[in-house]
Amino acid sequence: MKHLKLLSVLLCMAVVFTSCGTWTNTGKGTAIGVGGGAAAGAGIGALAGNTALGAVIGAAVGGTAGALIGKKMDKQKKELEATLPPETTVETINNGEALKVTFDSGILFATNSSTLSDASRSALRKLAVSLNENPDTDIKIVGYTDNTGKVDYNQTLSEKRAKSVYDYMMVDQGVSGRRMEYEGKGVHDPVASNDTPEGRALNRRVEILILANEKMIQDAQQGTLKKIFILKDNRKAWNSVSYSGPFLVLTIVYERFEVLQQVN
């Protein structure tokens, strides 16, 4: 009987930067740390195209931890883009360490209504699947309106719409209420001019922010943010092996194996 060899493999992680235009969330997360540490919240909002957003998000983690968080966000962003309706926008914010999912209010609600449509429930159901598969994130739901009508009415409507999304995600889709919060911004923080119908349509929206929670940040800072590698041994069998940290010795009792791809 052939003796099995004990194979120990040292896996190391390296971050390679290309031009700024092609940086992923991983590169952005590292760059902010190298460039001088975490940015202030207001500055982050400006980078995200919305100065007020910085107060909602907070400061970026940065450094190696920020790169690990950015990698997780990259993966989730691709998953969301593949499943959500084409009218939905998925953006990276906070130097790659968070995501912003924007639903046009016309997709979610009828005019002057805070009741979710059937189409919106389908879209939110797909979003909820991703949120439940990535539990180490906090969710902030923010409703907005254009400036048509009374300010107080728009404020109340934006709050009701944000709460409708919150309730559906928690009650119907099982997303934990402990990791979610909602608020209405009404006519404030427009992303386009309210002088045109097109601009007002852009301002009528619901934004869902996906942020690294305290556990993910701690795991990233300690180098224990979970990674998965798909391995293939010499017997053509597939094996899923979990490891933690940027450096780890994997001991595999096989004659040899090859790393085929990194899953996350």
PDB file of all heavy atoms in Angstrom, residues 15-50:
ATOM      1  N   VAL A  15      -1.099  41.928  -1.701  1.00  0.00           N
ATOM      2  CA  VAL A  15      -1.945  42.883  -2.388  1.00  0.00           C
ATOM      3  C   VAL A  15      -1.108  43.571  -3.453  1.00  0.00           C
ATOM      4  O   VAL A  15      -0.076  44.144  -3.162  1.00  0.00           O
ATOM      5  CB  VAL A  15      -2.500  43.944  -1.411  1.00  0.00           C
ATOM      6  CG1 VAL A  15      -3.344  44.959  -2.158  1.00  0.00           C
ATOM      7  CG2 VAL A  15      -3.297  43.270  -0.316  1.00  0.00           C
ATOM      8  N   VAL A  16      -1.542  43.498  -4.702  1.00  0.00           N
ATOM      9  CA  VAL A  16      -0.810  44.094  -5.806  1.00  0.00           C
ATOM     10  C   VAL A  16      -1.660  45.215  -6.380  1.00  0.00           C
ATOM     11  O   VAL A  16      -2.810  45.000  -6.735  1.00  0.00           O
ATOM     12  CB  VAL A  16      -0.512  43.048  -6.903  1.00  0.00           C
ATOM     13  CG1 VAL A  16       0.231  43.691  -8.054  1.00  0.00           C
ATOM     14  CG2 VAL A  16       0.291  41.897  -6.316  1.00  0.00           C
ATOM     15  N   PHE A  17      -1.110  46.399  -6.496  1.00  0.00           N
ATOM     16  CA  PHE A  17      -1.860  47.543  -6.984  1.00  0.00           C
ATOM     17  C   PHE A  17      -1.544  47.799  -8.449  1.00  0.00           C
ATOM     18  O   PHE A  17      -0.398  47.725  -8.891  1.00  0.00           O
ATOM     19  CB  PHE A  17      -1.491  48.822  -6.196  1.00  0.00           C
ATOM     20  CG  PHE A  17      -1.899  48.751  -4.767  1.00  0.00           C
ATOM     21  CD1 PHE A  17      -0.974  48.495  -3.759  1.00  0.00           C
ATOM     22  CD2 PHE A  17      -3.234  48.919  -4.429  1.00  0.00           C
ATOM     23  CE1 PHE A  17      -1.376  48.437  -2.452  1.00  0.00           C
ATOM     24  CE2 PHE A  17      -3.632  48.861  -3.119  1.00  0.00           C
ATOM     25  CZ  PHE A  17      -2.701  48.628  -2.129  1.00  0.00           C
ATOM     26  N   THR A  18      -2.600  48.142  -9.207  1.00  0.00           N
ATOM     27  CA  THR A  18      -2.427  48.605 -10.569  1.00  0.00           C
ATOM     28  C   THR A  18      -2.811  50.066 -10.588  1.00  0.00           C
ATOM     29  O   THR A  18      -2.722  50.750  -9.582  1.00  0.00           O
ATOM     30  CB  THR A  18      -3.312  47.780 -11.520  1.00  0.00           C
ATOM     31  OG1 THR A  18      -4.671  47.890 -11.069  1.00  0.00           O
ATOM     32  CG2 THR A  18      -2.893  46.329 -11.511  1.00  0.00           C
ATOM     33  N   SER A  19      -3.276  50.583 -11.712  1.00  0.00           N
ATOM     34  CA  SER A  19      -3.635  51.989 -11.767  1.00  0.00           C
ATOM     35  C   SER A  19      -4.868  52.246 -10.928  1.00  0.00           C
ATOM     36  O   SER A  19      -5.685  51.371 -10.712  1.00  0.00           O
ATOM     37  CB  SER A  19      -3.920  52.386 -13.216  1.00  0.00           C
ATOM     38  OG  SER A  19      -5.081  51.730 -13.675  1.00  0.00           O
ATOM     39  N   CYS A  20      -5.039  53.519 -10.487  1.00  0.00           N
ATOM     40  CA  CYS A  20      -6.165  53.864  -9.615  1.00  0.00           C
ATOM     41  C   CYS A  20      -7.487  53.571 -10.283  1.00  0.00           C
ATOM     42  O   CYS A  20      -8.459  53.221  -9.634  1.00  0.00           O
ATOM     43  CB  CYS A  20      -6.095  55.345  -9.230  1.00  0.00           C
ATOM     44  SG  CYS A  20      -4.687  55.720  -8.170  1.00  0.00           S
ATOM     45  N   GLY A  21      -7.559  53.698 -11.586  1.00  0.00           N
ATOM     46  CA  GLY A  21      -8.813  53.498 -12.286  1.00  0.00           C
ATOM     47  C   GLY A  21      -9.286  52.072 -12.267  1.00  0.00           C
ATOM     48  O   GLY A  21     -10.453  51.796 -12.533  1.00  0.00           O
ATOM     49  N   THR A  22      -8.405  51.140 -11.964  1.00  0.00           N
ATOM     50  CA  THR A  22      -8.793  49.735 -11.981  1.00  0.00           C
ATOM     51  C   THR A  22      -8.788  49.111 -10.598  1.00  0.00           C
ATOM     52  O   THR A  22      -8.899  47.906 -10.462  1.00  0.00           O
ATOM     53  CB  THR A  22      -7.850  48.935 -12.897  1.00  0.00           C
ATOM     54  OG1 THR A  22      -6.520  49.060 -12.409  1.00  0.00           O
ATOM     55  CG2 THR A  22      -7.917  49.433 -14.321  1.00  0.00           C
ATOM     56  N   TRP A  23      -8.654  49.938  -9.567  1.00  0.00           N
ATOM     57  CA  TRP A  23      -8.643  49.393  -8.209  1.00  0.00           C
ATOM     58  C   TRP A  23      -9.988  48.789  -7.852  1.00  0.00           C
ATOM     59  O   TRP A  23     -11.038  49.332  -8.131  1.00  0.00           O
ATOM     60  CB  TRP A  23      -8.324  50.487  -7.193  1.00  0.00           C
ATOM     61  CG  TRP A  23      -6.867  50.782  -7.100  1.00  0.00           C
ATOM     62  CD1 TRP A  23      -5.865  50.228  -7.821  1.00  0.00           C
ATOM     63  CD2 TRP A  23      -6.262  51.743  -6.234  1.00  0.00           C
ATOM     64  NE1 TRP A  23      -4.673  50.776  -7.450  1.00  0.00           N
ATOM     65  CE2 TRP A  23      -4.875  51.691  -6.489  1.00  0.00           C
ATOM     66  CE3 TRP A  23      -6.758  52.615  -5.276  1.00  0.00           C
ATOM     67  CZ2 TRP A  23      -3.976  52.507  -5.825  1.00  0.00           C
ATOM     68  CZ3 TRP A  23      -5.864  53.427  -4.611  1.00  0.00           C
ATOM     69  CH2 TRP A  23      -4.495  53.363  -4.887  1.00  0.00           C
ATOM     70  N   THR A  24      -9.940  47.652  -7.183  1.00  0.00           N
ATOM     71  CA  THR A  24     -11.145  47.062  -6.616  1.00  0.00           C
ATOM     72  C   THR A  24     -11.324  47.612  -5.218  1.00  0.00           C
ATOM     73  O   THR A  24     -10.526  48.411  -4.734  1.00  0.00           O
ATOM     74  CB  THR A  24     -11.017  45.537  -6.534  1.00  0.00           C
ATOM     75  OG1 THR A  24      -9.932  45.228  -5.660  1.00  0.00           O
ATOM     76  CG2 THR A  24     -10.770  44.930  -7.898  1.00  0.00           C
ATOM     77  N   ASN A  25     -12.368  47.161  -4.515  1.00  0.00           N
ATOM     78  CA  ASN A  25     -12.550  47.571  -3.126  1.00  0.00           C
ATOM     79  C   ASN A  25     -11.365  47.183  -2.269  1.00  0.00           C
ATOM     80  O   ASN A  25     -11.016  47.862  -1.319  1.00  0.00           O
ATOM     81  CB  ASN A  25     -13.815  46.924  -2.546  1.00  0.00           C
ATOM     82  CG  ASN A  25     -15.058  47.543  -3.130  1.00  0.00           C
ATOM     83  OD1 ASN A  25     -14.994  48.572  -3.782  1.00  0.00           O
ATOM     84  ND2 ASN A  25     -16.181  46.917  -2.896  1.00  0.00           N
ATOM     85  N   THR A  26     -10.715  46.065  -2.595  1.00  0.00           N
ATOM     86  CA  THR A  26      -9.548  45.627  -1.837  1.00  0.00           C
ATOM     87  C   THR A  26      -8.458  46.682  -1.895  1.00  0.00           C
ATOM     88  O   THR A  26      -7.881  47.077  -0.890  1.00  0.00           O
ATOM     89  CB  THR A  26      -9.014  44.297  -2.403  1.00  0.00           C
ATOM     90  OG1 THR A  26     -10.080  43.363  -2.448  1.00  0.00           O
ATOM     91  CG2 THR A  26      -7.891  43.762  -1.542  1.00  0.00           C
ATOM     92  N   GLY A  27      -8.150  47.154  -3.106  1.00  0.00           N
ATOM     93  CA  GLY A  27      -7.121  48.162  -3.278  1.00  0.00           C
ATOM     94  C   GLY A  27      -7.467  49.462  -2.591  1.00  0.00           C
ATOM     95  O   GLY A  27      -6.633  50.105  -1.967  1.00  0.00           O
ATOM     96  N   LYS A  28      -8.736  49.879  -2.711  1.00  0.00           N
ATOM     97  CA  LYS A  28      -9.158  51.120  -2.082  1.00  0.00           C
ATOM     98  C   LYS A  28      -9.039  51.029  -0.568  1.00  0.00           C
ATOM     99  O   LYS A  28      -8.613  51.960   0.093  1.00  0.00           O
ATOM    100  CB  LYS A  28     -10.604  51.430  -2.468  1.00  0.00           C
ATOM    101  CG  LYS A  28     -10.794  51.766  -3.941  1.00  0.00           C
ATOM    102  CD  LYS A  28     -12.272  51.950  -4.240  1.00  0.00           C
ATOM    103  CE  LYS A  28     -12.528  52.161  -5.709  1.00  0.00           C
ATOM    104  NZ  LYS A  28     -13.982  52.244  -6.003  1.00  0.00           N
ATOM    105  N   GLY A  29      -9.444  49.896   0.000  1.00  0.00           N
ATOM    106  CA  GLY A  29      -9.395  49.731   1.450  1.00  0.00           C
ATOM    107  C   GLY A  29      -7.982  49.821   1.978  1.00  0.00           C
ATOM    108  O   GLY A  29      -7.728  50.386   3.035  1.00  0.00           O
ATOM    109  N   THR A  30      -7.033  49.257   1.245  1.00  0.00           N
ATOM    110  CA  THR A  30      -5.638  49.328   1.655  1.00  0.00           C
ATOM    111  C   THR A  30      -5.084  50.725   1.473  1.00  0.00           C
ATOM    112  O   THR A  30      -4.374  51.247   2.318  1.00  0.00           O
ATOM    113  CB  THR A  30      -4.795  48.339   0.835  1.00  0.00           C
ATOM    114  OG1 THR A  30      -5.316  47.027   1.028  1.00  0.00           O
ATOM    115  CG2 THR A  30      -3.343  48.373   1.272  1.00  0.00           C
ATOM    116  N   ALA A  31      -5.427  51.349   0.353  1.00  0.00           N
ATOM    117  CA  ALA A  31      -4.840  52.635   0.026  1.00  0.00           C
ATOM    118  C   ALA A  31      -5.142  53.697   1.066  1.00  0.00           C
ATOM    119  O   ALA A  31      -4.308  54.513   1.399  1.00  0.00           O
ATOM    120  CB  ALA A  31      -5.343  53.105  -1.340  1.00  0.00           C
ATOM    121  N   ILE A  32      -6.346  53.700   1.609  1.00  0.00           N
ATOM    122  CA  ILE A  32      -6.678  54.720   2.596  1.00  0.00           C
ATOM    123  C   ILE A  32      -5.848  54.552   3.854  1.00  0.00           C
ATOM    124  O   ILE A  32      -5.450  55.519   4.487  1.00  0.00           O
ATOM    125  CB  ILE A  32      -8.185  54.716   2.923  1.00  0.00           C
ATOM    126  CG1 ILE A  32      -8.506  55.910   3.835  1.00  0.00           C
ATOM    127  CG2 ILE A  32      -8.618  53.444   3.594  1.00  0.00           C
ATOM    128  CD1 ILE A  32      -9.974  56.079   4.095  1.00  0.00           C
ATOM    129  N   GLY A  33      -5.521  53.302   4.214  1.00  0.00           N
ATOM    130  CA  GLY A  33      -4.692  53.075   5.386  1.00  0.00           C
ATOM    131  C   GLY A  33      -3.268  53.525   5.134  1.00  0.00           C
ATOM    132  O   GLY A  33      -2.656  54.197   5.951  1.00  0.00           O
ATOM    133  N   VAL A  34      -2.730  53.192   3.978  1.00  0.00           N
ATOM    134  CA  VAL A  34      -1.366  53.579   3.639  1.00  0.00           C
ATOM    135  C   VAL A  34      -1.254  55.082   3.514  1.00  0.00           C
ATOM    136  O   VAL A  34      -0.239  55.680   3.845  1.00  0.00           O
ATOM    137  CB  VAL A  34      -0.955  52.890   2.312  1.00  0.00           C
ATOM    138  CG1 VAL A  34       0.398  53.378   1.848  1.00  0.00           C
ATOM    139  CG2 VAL A  34      -0.930  51.382   2.515  1.00  0.00           C
ATOM    140  N   GLY A  35      -2.343  55.713   3.049  1.00  0.00           N
ATOM    141  CA  GLY A  35      -2.300  57.149   2.816  1.00  0.00           C
ATOM    142  C   GLY A  35      -2.468  57.984   4.056  1.00  0.00           C
ATOM    143  O   GLY A  35      -2.540  59.200   3.961  1.00  0.00           O
ATOM    144  N   GLY A  36      -2.588  57.404   5.206  1.00  0.00           N
ATOM    145  CA  GLY A  36      -2.632  58.218   6.409  1.00  0.00           C
ATOM    146  C   GLY A  36      -3.703  57.839   7.394  1.00  0.00           C
ATOM    147  O   GLY A  36      -4.086  58.656   8.221  1.00  0.00           O
ATOM    148  N   GLY A  37      -4.245  56.607   7.281  1.00  0.00           N
ATOM    149  CA  GLY A  37      -5.217  56.176   8.278  1.00  0.00           C
ATOM    150  C   GLY A  37      -6.634  56.421   7.843  1.00  0.00           C
ATOM    151  O   GLY A  37      -6.904  56.824   6.724  1.00  0.00           O
ATOM    152  N   ALA A  38      -7.573  56.172   8.763  1.00  0.00           N
ATOM    153  CA  ALA A  38      -8.998  56.290   8.453  1.00  0.00           C
ATOM    154  C   ALA A  38      -9.377  57.738   8.199  1.00  0.00           C
ATOM    155  O   ALA A  38      -8.914  58.653   8.855  1.00  0.00           O
ATOM    156  CB  ALA A  38      -9.815  55.730   9.622  1.00  0.00           C
ATOM    157  N   ALA A  39     -10.254  57.942   7.220  1.00  0.00           N
ATOM    158  CA  ALA A  39     -10.706  59.287   6.887  1.00  0.00           C
ATOM    159  C   ALA A  39     -11.845  59.703   7.791  1.00  0.00           C
ATOM    160  O   ALA A  39     -12.537  58.877   8.357  1.00  0.00           O
ATOM    161  CB  ALA A  39     -11.165  59.322   5.428  1.00  0.00           C
ATOM    162  N   ALA A  40     -12.056  60.983   7.896  1.00  0.00           N
ATOM    163  CA  ALA A  40     -13.196  61.478   8.682  1.00  0.00           C
ATOM    164  C   ALA A  40     -14.481  61.213   7.932  1.00  0.00           C
ATOM    165  O   ALA A  40     -14.492  61.141   6.715  1.00  0.00           O
ATOM    166  CB  ALA A  40     -13.032  62.977   8.935  1.00  0.00           C
ATOM    167  N   GLY A  41     -15.574  61.104   8.677  1.00  0.00           N
ATOM    168  CA  GLY A  41     -16.849  60.757   8.061  1.00  0.00           C
ATOM    169  C   GLY A  41     -17.268  61.723   6.985  1.00  0.00           C
ATOM    170  O   GLY A  41     -17.752  61.325   5.932  1.00  0.00           O
ATOM    171  N   ALA A  42     -17.126  63.020   7.201  1.00  0.00           N
ATOM    172  CA  ALA A  42     -17.567  63.986   6.205  1.00  0.00           C
ATOM    173  C   ALA A  42     -16.791  63.845   4.916  1.00  0.00           C
ATOM    174  O   ALA A  42     -17.336  63.973   3.826  1.00  0.00           O
ATOM    175  CB  ALA A  42     -17.411  65.405   6.763  1.00  0.00           C
ATOM    176  N   GLY A  43     -15.491  63.579   5.006  1.00  0.00           N
ATOM    177  CA  GLY A  43     -14.679  63.389   3.820  1.00  0.00           C
ATOM    178  C   GLY A  43     -15.110  62.186   3.023  1.00  0.00           C
ATOM    179  O   GLY A  43     -15.110  62.191   1.796  1.00  0.00           O
ATOM    180  N   ILE A  44     -15.499  61.131   3.726  1.00  0.00           N
ATOM    181  CA  ILE A  44     -15.953  59.923   3.054  1.00  0.00           C
ATOM    182  C   ILE A  44     -17.232  60.191   2.293  1.00  0.00           C
ATOM    183  O   ILE A  44     -17.423  59.737   1.182  1.00  0.00           O
ATOM    184  CB  ILE A  44     -16.176  58.798   4.077  1.00  0.00           C
ATOM    185  CG1 ILE A  44     -14.843  58.408   4.684  1.00  0.00           C
ATOM    186  CG2 ILE A  44     -16.831  57.585   3.456  1.00  0.00           C
ATOM    187  CD1 ILE A  44     -14.975  57.694   5.988  1.00  0.00           C
ATOM    188  N   GLY A  45     -18.123  60.968   2.896  1.00  0.00           N
ATOM    189  CA  GLY A  45     -19.351  61.309   2.216  1.00  0.00           C
ATOM    190  C   GLY A  45     -19.077  62.042   0.920  1.00  0.00           C
ATOM    191  O   GLY A  45     -19.738  61.820  -0.090  1.00  0.00           O
ATOM    192  N   ALA A  46     -18.086  62.938   0.943  1.00  0.00           N
ATOM    193  CA  ALA A  46     -17.742  63.664  -0.266  1.00  0.00           C
ATOM    194  C   ALA A  46     -17.236  62.722  -1.342  1.00  0.00           C
ATOM    195  O   ALA A  46     -17.560  62.861  -2.516  1.00  0.00           O
ATOM    196  CB  ALA A  46     -16.682  64.729   0.050  1.00  0.00           C
ATOM    197  N   LEU A  47     -16.417  61.734  -0.954  1.00  0.00           N
ATOM    198  CA  LEU A  47     -15.930  60.755  -1.910  1.00  0.00           C
ATOM    199  C   LEU A  47     -17.073  59.941  -2.490  1.00  0.00           C
ATOM    200  O   LEU A  47     -17.035  59.515  -3.638  1.00  0.00           O
ATOM    201  CB  LEU A  47     -14.916  59.809  -1.235  1.00  0.00           C
ATOM    202  CG  LEU A  47     -13.569  60.410  -0.879  1.00  0.00           C
ATOM    203  CD1 LEU A  47     -12.744  59.396  -0.089  1.00  0.00           C
ATOM    204  CD2 LEU A  47     -12.810  60.841  -2.117  1.00  0.00           C
ATOM    205  N   ALA A  48     -18.085  59.707  -1.688  1.00  0.00           N
ATOM    206  CA  ALA A  48     -19.232  58.918  -2.137  1.00  0.00           C
ATOM    207  C   ALA A  48     -20.188  59.736  -2.975  1.00  0.00           C
ATOM    208  O   ALA A  48     -21.165  59.215  -3.493  1.00  0.00           O
ATOM    209  CB  ALA A  48     -19.975  58.349  -0.932  1.00  0.00           C
ATOM    210  N   GLY A  49     -19.943  61.043  -3.144  1.00  0.00           N
ATOM    211  CA  GLY A  49     -20.820  61.867  -3.929  1.00  0.00           C
ATOM    212  C   GLY A  49     -21.960  62.446  -3.110  1.00  0.00           C
ATOM    213  O   GLY A  49     -22.873  63.050  -3.641  1.00  0.00           O
ATOM    214  N   ASN A  50     -21.918  62.320  -1.820  1.00  0.00           N
ATOM    215  CA  ASN A  50     -22.978  62.815  -0.955  1.00  0.00           C
ATOM    216  C   ASN A  50     -22.351  63.166   0.387  1.00  0.00           C
ATOM    217  O   ASN A  50     -22.042  62.297   1.175  1.00  0.00           O
ATOM    218  CB  ASN A  50     -24.064  61.747  -0.782  1.00  0.00           C
ATOM    219  CG  ASN A  50     -25.234  62.244   0.048  1.00  0.00           C
ATOM    220  OD1 ASN A  50     -25.164  63.291   0.676  1.00  0.00           O
ATOM    221  ND2 ASN A  50     -26.306  61.484   0.038  1.00  0.00           N
TER     222      ASN A  50
END
